[in-house]
Amino acid sequence: MTTIRREVLTLPAAPPGPDNPLPPLRPLDEAHRIDDRDRAGLPRDMARQIDYEPLRSLLPAQVRDGYGRGREPRGLDALVIENDRLRVTVLPALGGRIASLHHKPTDRELLYANPVLQPANFALNGAWFSGGIEWNIGATGHTTLSCSPVHAARVPAPDGGRMLRLWEWERLRDLPFQVDLWLPEGSDFLYVGARIRNPHERPAPTYWWSNIAVPEDRRVLAPADEAWHFGYERRLRRVPVPEYDGVDRTYPLNSTYAADYFYEVPDDRRRWIAALDDDGHGLVQTSTDLLRGRKLFVWGTGPGGRRWQEWLTEPGTGGYCEIQAGLVRTQLEHVKLEAESEVSWLEAYGPLDARPDGDWHTVLRRAEDRLEAALPRADVDAAYDAWRPCADTEPGERLATGSGWGALEVLRAGWKLPGTPFAEDTLGAEQRPWLHLLRTGSLPAPRHDEPPGGTLVARPWRDMLETTAATPSAEYHLGVAQWHGDDRAQAVRSWERGLKSATDRWPLLRCLAVADQEDGHGERAADRYAEAFDDLCARRSDAAKGDDGWAAVTASLGREAIGALLAAGRTADARAVWERLDPETAARGRYRLIEAGLLAAEGRREDARAVFDEGFEVADLREGADGIGLLWARLDDAPLPARYDFRMWPDGE
């Protein structure tokens, strides 16, 4: 019989730290944009979906950048689903990630199971970690839920056994989703039923990729003769499979640089992807036809790719690649989910044994025959049909609790969402002021001893903000919502109105400074940043100096202020901000890099070079970022030291 139980998974883990309390007003820093030269040759449906409402803002989510790189053993709450063939370990507090898929008869781990939990800046909102199977919903990139809790409960499975349901409210697109996991008795395959719902009276852009980490010393098989290659030089081009530029790219270690290969699976072919070792053992993922896309991501063997592999785990640990499955051909696309509709599919994960070497079509035919023998395509379709009536079954015992945002939205709109209850008892401190606005029409101001919380930016909440009393707090949040809606002139007016009577001026001044930067008014932005930081330091009480929230806002505002002041050539003012940062903040790797840049701007090149010699680690270094290399090039003609080399593309591209 299949069982579901609680366990504790203990790993060396870096603490997540506080979120960045400043609203993310700047355009999304997204690497997945294509060169305009490549648009002309795209299939029409792909071109249309690439242009369909790409994400331009993280709001209402906040950036998660408070983590470090000091790891200590930490117990992680886990839910284990097990039958006589498979043992599946799920982490409900970390996006419902499947951390392990262990095949018991062969005693093999089918996934890349990271031996540490190390956040890094790969999710849309920052903190993400590698390994296992993650559920990417929302928009191009790793989900904002990567390091966030989801709801979990027991539910009856289609075969009468037990099923684990995960569900949450995805805030970037305002859509609820669920993932149902079950193991039929005697099955070598984990079944995954997934559903995204759009309860709104308008269409919504939708995105899904199931991301599967597997050891990189594999050959990756997918039923395709062509793929869309996308690298960090942002060129999208159709290439042959398996060989491209004289190299068989289906072996991840044959690529020098990081790249995506989105396989062009013919419409009449079964949807599947597998990663097999030299002996022919490995993992296969297959699905109903709706989940049409399949992808391979490789880090490559270049110095930057290897450095990232070390960065995400521990030196000496084997590297990984990613095989993925999505709703469309590429991760550059979003699809329209019509109003008051839903989309659902079924996936299956399990072991596959098939020889990976030899002629491509022979290898594919051999693997497909083995897959059909182990799990017939008709059985996957039948499992989906059996699961659909169970998708609305109300959950039983609650096993984990996610956020209260879904409960707030259900209260606001009165939606009925069978199978995924967002109960009022999940509402927490983050939702409290918005619940007050919903029920009373007024938005309570934050206490003077705490920074303002996050802002809800969807149109119904903006409408409520426009009709509530025009307090400085309401004007601040209204301006953020207007900015998100691309009504920037109104946003500036709201912030300026709020500033006239505000006691705590720094949140409004910071928003106006960002607006100035976006409009090209660098000197005025620098003035406002300096004034905002002065006001913050004056308002921050001695009692609050040890508080994580105040430390986070001081660090974040100081970081932005120094950047704006240096951009305006005001090194003395930038130095004055630096001197007021907490010693703990100044010692962090990100701020050591800022210090080196400040020293270089002051003409103290040797002192700046000494910062590199002493060593630092920028915990929240962004995927594809090249700031370290650019600063090094200003200080030294020598090659960039390996410990700082995270470049993911060839020089000159």
Side-chain angles (χ1 to χ4, degrees), residues 116-186:
V116 305
L117 175 60
Q118 176 57 62
N121 193 357
F122 279 78
L124 286 164
N125 60 336
W128 172 87
F129 64 102
S130 64
I133 303 173
E134 63 176 316
W135 318 111
N136 285 307
I137 180 175
T140 298
H142 294 284
T143 175
T144 59
L145 296 168
S146 293
C147 292
S148 295
V150 298
H151 302 281
R154 285 189 176 92
V155 185
D159 60 357
R162 296 179 178 90
M163 182 162 67
L164 176 63
R165 174 162 299 161
L166 310 170
W167 73 99
E168 225 341 320
W169 195 275
E170 200 288 310
R171 301 182 68 206
L172 297 182
R173 303 300 197 182
D174 252 350
L175 301 176
F177 72 99
Q178 73 188 74
V179 176
D180 288 352
L181 311 172
W182 78 101
L183 290 169
E185 188 174 355

Side-chain angles (χ1 to χ4, degrees), residues 58-109:
L58 272 181
L59 291 165
Q62 291 176 281
V63 174
R64 316 198 75 171
D65 60 2
Y67 52 87
R69 291 190 56 80
R71 296 190 288 266
E72 294 182 355
R74 174 181 159 203
L76 306 175
D77 290 336
L79 299 172
V80 176
I81 319 168
E82 188 167 10
N83 67 0
D84 59 333
R85 312 289 293 178
L86 286 173
R87 184 170 61 250
V88 185
T89 304
V90 181
L91 303 177
L94 295 166
R97 181 83 60 102
I98 294 179
S100 171
L101 186 63
H102 185 82
H103 188 236
K104 293 159 71 173
T106 58
D107 194 28
R108 290 197 187 101
E109 173 58 54

Side-chain angles (χ1 to χ4, degrees), residues 526-527 529-540 545 550-551 553-555 557-559 561-562 565 570 572-586 591 598:
D527 286 340
Y529 265 122
E531 186 181 353
F533 194 76
D534 286 344
D535 183 71
L536 172 64
C537 292
R539 297 291 171 189
R540 182 180 168 190
K545 288 184 177 178
W550 279 108
V553 78
T554 306
L557 185 58
R559 172 177 168 178
I562 291 171
L565 290 163
R570 293 164 55 174
D573 291 334
R575 171 61 63 181
V577 172
W578 172 265
E579 297 294 345
R580 284 179 286 173
L581 294 177
D582 297 330
E584 297 81 3
T585 297
Y591 292 84
L598 175 57

Side-chain angles (χ1 to χ4, degrees), residues 3 56 72 77 83 100 126 156 188 205 282 375 378 380 383 410 435 439 455 509 539 558 600:
T3 61
R56 292 183 170 85
E72 294 182 355
D77 290 336
N83 67 0
S100 171
D188 280 310
L375 183 63
V380 174
V410 167
L435 183 63
R439 288 178 168 166
T455 303
L509 285 166
R539 297 291 171 189

Side-chain angles (χ1 to χ4, degrees), residues 305-613:
R306 304 329 293 171
R307 185 71 181 99
W308 276 116
Q309 292 265 32
E310 290 180 356
W311 187 253
L312 294 169
T313 182
E314 292 183 330
T317 303
Y320 76 97
C321 64
E322 294 170 357
I323 57 175
Q324 303 190 25
L327 286 172
V328 284
R329 285 188 185 92
T330 75
Q331 289 175 330
L332 308 171
E333 305 166 67
H334 300 91
V335 295
K336 182 184 290 186
L337 185 57
E338 296 296 343
E340 299 177 334
S341 69
E342 62 182 51
V343 62
S344 61
W345 63 92
L346 185 130
E347 305 178 49
Y349 296 81
L352 183 69
D353 292 316
R355 280 182 52 202
D357 57 311
D359 169 72
W360 179 242
H361 293 104
T362 301
V363 169
L364 290 182
R365 185 170 59 252
R366 195 160 54 212
E368 208 156 34
D369 288 346
R370 297 300 296 268
L371 173 59
E372 185 66 18
L375 183 63
R377 185 177 187 179
D379 286 4
V380 174
D381 293 334
Y384 172 73
D385 292 338
W387 167 73
R388 281 297 291 124
C390 300
D392 285 346
T393 302
E394 291 303 323
E397 179 191 358
R398 186 189 296 179
L399 299 173
T401 302
S403 78
W405 295 115
L408 185 66
E409 292 301 328
V410 167
L411 281 174
R412 179 189 63 77
W415 287 313
K416 304 297 182 186
L417 299 169
T420 55
F422 293 95
E424 283 194 49
D425 65 2
T426 63
L427 293 165
E430 289 181 298
Q431 293 81 42
R432 193 170 298 129
W434 301 98
L435 183 63
H436 192 275
L437 176 64
L438 179 65
R439 288 178 168 166
T440 70
S442 65
L443 184 71
R447 301 198 314 259
H448 288 304
D449 61 349
E450 63 184 19
T455 303
L456 295 183
V457 296
R459 188 74 222 195
W461 295 103
R462 176 176 165 179
D463 290 344
M464 283 184 252
L465 289 168
E466 288 175 343
T467 55
T468 192
T471 63
S473 177
E475 295 285 15
Y476 164 81
H477 287 292
L478 174 58
V480 174
Q482 290 167 331
W483 184 270
H484 174 265
D486 209 25
D487 196 351
R488 297 192 170 189
Q490 282 287 12
V492 169
R493 282 192 283 271
S494 294
W495 293 326
E496 288 175 340
R497 281 196 305 269
L499 198 58
K500 291 177 182 177
S501 58
T503 302
D504 296 317
R505 296 167 54 82
W506 65 265
L508 294 152
L509 285 166
R510 182 264 175 178
C511 290
L512 289 167
V514 174
D516 285 334
Q517 284 182 317
E518 292 298 305
D519 290 340
H521 302 305
E523 188 64 42
R524 192 166 68 198
D527 286 340
R528 281 177 161 156
Y529 265 122
E531 186 181 353
F533 194 76
D534 286 344
D535 183 71
L536 172 64
C537 292
R539 297 291 171 189
R540 182 180 168 190
S541 68
D542 290 338
K545 288 184 177 178
D547 179 82
D548 285 347
W550 279 108
V553 78
T554 306
S556 299
L557 185 58
R559 172 177 168 178
E560 291 186 8
I562 291 171
L565 290 163
L566 287 179
R570 293 164 55 174
T571 55
D573 291 334
R575 171 61 63 181
V577 172
W578 172 265
E579 297 294 345
R580 284 179 286 173
L581 294 177
D582 297 330
E584 297 81 3
T585 297
R588 288 165 52 188
R590 165 62 64 184
Y591 292 84
R592 295 286 285 151
L593 177 61
I594 290 171
E595 182 185 21
L598 175 57
L599 290 166
E602 292 170 330
R604 299 163 60 185
R605 290 167 53 94
E606 291 185 5
D607 291 336
R609 179 67 167 72
V611 173
F612 279 85
D613 293 340

Side-chain angles (χ1 to χ4, degrees), residues 9 104 114 119 138 164 201 286 289 298 385 517 519 572 580 616:
L9 176 64
K104 293 159 71 173
N114 197 335
L164 176 63
E201 296 178 348
T286 187
D289 287 352
V298 299
D385 292 338
Q517 284 182 317
D519 290 340
R580 284 179 286 173
F616 58 86

